[in-house]
Amino acid sequence: MKKTLTATLVAALAAPAMAGGPVLLEDTEVVAERPTSNIIIPLLAVVAIGLLISSNDDDPVPPQPCISVCG
């Protein structure tokens, strides 16, 4: 009984209907992407660094008015 059941199970699982059917491959066209212009980011970085360097936080302190005896 076990041999018959095992043989039937193997035959049922090995049937072509359970194999998944034919595999169809589609022809796909590979299109290379155009490289984007990456000059904008370094240019903005250079401008930002230039602005940071050129800004001067060492403004001269205006002289204090002389309240007491100025000589």
Side-chain angles (χ1 to χ4, degrees), residues 2-55:
K2 272 189 167 180
K3 289 184 181 182
T4 308
L5 182 60
T6 304
T8 306
L9 185 61
V10 168
L13 291 176
M18 301 294 286
V23 176
L24 302 175
L25 300 176
E26 295 182 20
D27 292 333
T28 57
E29 182 178 339
V30 177
V31 178
E33 292 185 23
R34 240 178 65 185
T36 58
S37 176
N38 289 334
I39 191 74
I40 295 173
I41 295 173
L43 182 65
L44 288 176
V46 168
V47 169
I49 291 171
L51 288 173
L52 287 174
I53 291 173
S54 68
S55 67

Side-chain angles (χ1 to χ4, degrees), residues 47-70:
V47 169
I49 291 171
L51 288 173
L52 287 174
I53 291 173
S54 68
S55 67
N56 188 3
D57 290 337
D58 296 334
D59 293 334
V61 178
Q64 296 293 329
C66 185
I67 297 175
S68 62
V69 178
C70 296

